[in-house]
Amino acid sequence: MPAHQLAPDIPTDVLAAEQAHLAEARAALTAMRAHAQSLSADAAGDWVSQQILQSLLDQRVAALADHPDTPLFFGRLDREAGDDLPAVIHVGRRHVHDGNSRPLVVDWRAPVSRAFYQASPAEPMGVVRRRRFGYHGGALTAFEDEPLAEGGELGPSRILTEEIERPRTGPMRDIVATIQPDQDEIVRSALGQTVCVQGAPGTGKTAVGLHRAAYLLFTHRERLARSGVMIVGPNRAFLSYISSVLPALGEVKVDQTTVAGLLGEHAAPEDLAVSAVKGDARMAKVLERALWLHIVKPEEGLVYSKGAHRFRVADHEVREIVASLRGTTRYGPGRAALAQRLAHQVLVRMEQRGDSPDDRVQDAVARSKPVKQLVDAVWPKLVPEQVLFRLLSDAGFLARAARTDLTPDEQRLLLWPKPYRGWKSAKWSAADAALLDELADLIERTPSLGHLVVDEAQDLSEMQLRALGRRCRNGSATVLGDLAQGTTPWSARSWRAVLTHLGQDGEVTELTLGFRVPREVLDYAARLLPSIAPDLAAPRSLRPGAGSLSVRPGGEVTAAVREALAREGSIGLIVPDAMVAEVSRSLDGIAHAVLGPDSTEDHRLLVVPATLVKGLEYDHVIVVEPADIVEAEPRGPARLYVVLTRAVSTLTVLHAKPLPPQLAS
């Protein structure tokens, strides 16, 4: 008996029975959604409760939406008897039951579904047979069986391979049908565990991170509903590309944003050398000192009058209170505590006179004019922009805050050549956003999420990592990236360092086996690795991809585009940023769109600037002038590595200029 049995070799009544089960499941899902829509929030006792309940009901209805272009299940497990669960389980994107609560589809995240991804002839996990389904749109078209109880070895799954290679246009798809055992281990990691995934191109690291978020939301629904889950990506084009994955898995309430969206959309131009200093973790100490330097030594005591009585707190007592608070609390709560402690000293004196003041009197004293004036003079109220403005415009103040943490040259780099008139009119850079966030946390504590997924983390500065780490200080994180794809001057060289700056003690795991990029293409791109990430293992691909690579000296763009259009699937025409307008004009008469930083374009043919392509994939990729991509920025070879590894089916390289030496051999 062959390891895999394909649908043409199996009686059609078996496939027909599965198709009937799919129809029954779809009808049941429709009934579940109708029932959810019929529920009313009016039963809640008050208006606030009604609003909360209605929001939950709306989320439930949205989560039960059917997606007609994908089947409700993609696999089946025939299990040994011995527990209370059904002997036959259909595994799909969400749970579906009939009117009698009989499970028709079991969620892929349920514990029993783990065997679909992990079971093997050597470790069958109680499974007699695993069935994989092929489908077109939302209809089942084929299946193949893997007998796990008979021992031996399984050959390659044709359905699995075809699903991985299936051409597509538009946003990223979920990979629940094709998750591999090593990916599944990451996806099902415990909530309290931070996981860092070093993933070579095409290994599915982004999909793994998204599916881990979906798994955690399923497994810890109530806890994460309170604390929240957030996805952080490199740009809005990337977020648009991944936007459909979680909703397709029934998860509709997950925030997806960029670092700029999280920290502030500041984009004042700035020299990279300046941004590099601002992004260094040493700035954390500089900012902390800069904030606390605003506290002034008290020179006068406090006099509080009530009626004919005057209550005095001596200057030395005020100094002792300030000194005891300084550095033991955040700046904002410290101001409030100072007012309360001064008021408490006044109450002590009131009691010494025979009064019996209560907490209301203390609060009134803390809010009184004499106390407020003293607190404002000694411990002034500040916003982050005031502190950073002073730091970047006052050389003496910067020197006092920097001490020996920054060299004189670095301090000169940080100072604005022409300071703004005031902090309210200052224009901040992207690097400033992380500094402002650091100061904001020193003033008032940043709330923590339950789980944070950070993609393309290798490109984040140490200060940006600290900002993200604050968002998961009471939770955990999934950190995704590839050190070989680092394209910023401050790109990480070590995942251990990344985790340190995030404030997380996580486990680093490596995915080197690719499923998306053909081997011929991946091997070509990997020629760049010795010069950009010599310590990383060369990635491997499961797909040979013979004929998938074409390198054409002097190749003509329009001809290559028309050739790609004759095939099925999406097309990414990746060009040096400076050539975007020129290449777009050359496509006159050929329908296309240009991808921008905030673009959500969903066109079959996209002209893509090289700096925006990270994290994206296209069935067919055409790369124009690799040498110009390399020469455009300091880490140009790493950028080119990213560009060359975006292809799922074919890669065409067009060049009039000589190729970079690593690719010329």
Side-chain angles (χ1 to χ4, degrees), residues 3 29 63 65-66 98 137 140 146 157 179 186 241 296 319 482 497 509 546 552 577 590 600-601:
L29 180 63
D66 194 1
D98 64 13
L140 298 180
E146 298 172 342
S157 164
I179 292 174
I186 298 169
Y241 176 63
V296 177
R319 285 195 288 272
D482 181 5
T509 186
R552 305 176 185 176
D577 287 35
I590 301 177
T600 57
E601 291 287 354

Side-chain angles (χ1 to χ4, degrees), residues 154-499:
L154 296 177
S157 164
R158 185 185 303 176
I159 281 180
L160 197 63
T161 302
E162 288 177 352
E163 169 58 16
I164 290 171
E165 296 181 348
R166 178 161 58 98
R168 76 250 180 263
T169 57
M172 180 181 183
R173 298 192 304 257
D174 66 68
I175 62 164
V176 287
T178 61
I179 292 174
Q180 300 300 295
D182 57 343
Q183 296 174 324
D184 187 64
E185 290 287 351
I186 298 169
V187 167
R188 295 177 192 268
S189 300
L191 173 59
Q193 182 179 358
T194 286
V195 177
C196 178
V197 182
Q198 159 60 41
T203 53
K205 58 183 177 294
T206 297
V208 165
L210 294 173
H211 286 67
R212 186 183 184 208
Y215 171 78
L216 292 175
L217 283 162
F218 175 85
T219 310
H220 306 277
R221 179 75 60 195
E222 186 175 336
R223 178 175 172 182
L224 290 177
R226 294 193 304 269
S227 56
V229 174
M230 180 178 286
I231 313 293
V232 180
N235 52 55
R236 287 200 177 92
F238 174 84
L239 293 180
S240 175
Y241 176 63
I242 67 170
S243 62
S244 299
V245 174
L246 288 172
L249 300 174
E251 301 301 340
V252 295
K253 194 172 175 58
V254 177
D255 290 330
Q256 301 190 30
T257 187
T258 61
V259 173
L262 195 61
L263 306 186
E265 301 281 355
H266 302 299
E270 183 171 77
D271 188 275
L272 287 177
V274 178
S275 295
V277 176
K278 289 180 177 179
D280 194 293
R282 291 174 296 158
M283 286 298 299
K285 276 294 181 188
V286 177
L287 294 170
E288 185 177 11
R289 290 192 202 101
L291 177 63
W292 291 103
L293 279 170
H294 284 80
I295 292 180
V296 177
K297 179 182 176 182
E299 299 294 347
E300 297 181 358
L302 171 68
V303 179
Y304 177 81
S305 300
K306 185 179 182 183
H309 300 293
R310 292 160 68 85
F311 303 95
R312 298 178 183 275
V313 181
D315 54 356
H316 69 88
E317 292 179 278
V318 176
R319 285 195 288 272
E320 288 173 4
I321 294 172
V322 172
S324 68
L325 285 172
R326 192 185 189 283
T328 63
T329 177
R330 279 179 165 74
Y331 189 90
R335 267 177 53 86
L338 175 58
Q340 287 293 331
R341 292 204 187 178
L342 290 171
H344 176 73
Q345 290 301 315
V346 171
L347 260 66
V348 169
R349 284 149 180 78
M350 289 180 176
E351 291 172 344
Q352 290 169 346
R353 284 181 179 265
D355 294 342
S356 300
D358 56 20
D359 290 345
R360 289 175 297 177
V361 175
Q362 178 166 323
D363 287 340
V365 175
R367 294 193 303 270
S368 68
K369 185 176 181 180
V371 171
K372 289 176 68 174
Q373 286 180 333
L374 179 56
V375 170
D376 286 342
V378 172
W379 200 303
K381 186 176 183 179
L382 295 170
V383 296
E385 288 80 2
Q386 287 173 281
V387 182
L388 189 57
F389 173 83
R390 186 178 176 189
L391 196 68
L392 301 182
S393 56
D394 183 335
F397 182 70
L398 174 58
R400 288 170 62 203
R403 294 186 185 173
T404 59
D405 285 318
L406 299 177
T407 67
D409 286 344
E410 288 173 326
Q411 292 178 40
R412 280 190 289 273
L413 270 177
L414 287 181
L415 287 168
W416 282 321
K418 184 179 179 183
Y420 297 94
R421 285 189 172 184
W423 64 269
K424 290 184 178 179
S425 62
K427 304 296 182 186
W428 307 105
S429 68
D432 289 329
L435 305 186
L436 292 170
D437 192 78
E438 183 87 21
L439 286 164
D441 185 68
L442 290 168
I443 295 171
E444 298 286 349
R445 186 179 182 87
T446 305
S448 173
L449 294 157
H451 192 74
L452 189 70
V453 178
V454 185
D455 208 346
E456 303 297 346
Q458 76 280 346
D459 277 339
L460 299 175
S461 73
E462 294 168 355
M463 292 301 291
Q464 288 174 326
L465 289 168
R466 287 176 58 88
L468 293 176
R470 287 189 281 277
R471 269 76 181 177
C472 60
R473 73 170 113 220
N474 297 330
S476 58
T478 302
V479 183
L480 312 165
D482 181 5
L483 297 179
Q485 296 185 54
T487 52
T488 58
W490 46 84
S491 292
R493 300 294 191 271
S494 156
W495 287 120
R496 275 286 147 220
V498 167
L499 290 171

Side-chain angles (χ1 to χ4, degrees), residues 165 201-202 514-525 540-549 618-619 644-651:
E165 296 181 348
F515 308 97
R516 306 294 297 165
V517 184
R519 188 181 307 157
E520 189 174 6
V521 171
L522 199 57
D523 289 349
Y524 180 71
R540 299 172 296 129
S541 176
L542 279 179
R543 301 166 51 211
S548 57
L549 174 66
Y618 303 95
D619 289 297
L644 295 176
T645 53
R646 302 303 95 198
V648 176
S649 296
T650 67
L651 170 66

Side-chain angles (χ1 to χ4, degrees), residues 38-54 57:
S38 71
L39 298 175
S40 172
D42 295 340
D46 56 81
W47 184 85
V48 173
S49 299
Q50 287 176 356
Q51 299 306 303
I52 294 172
L53 181 55
Q54 188 60 56
L57 290 174

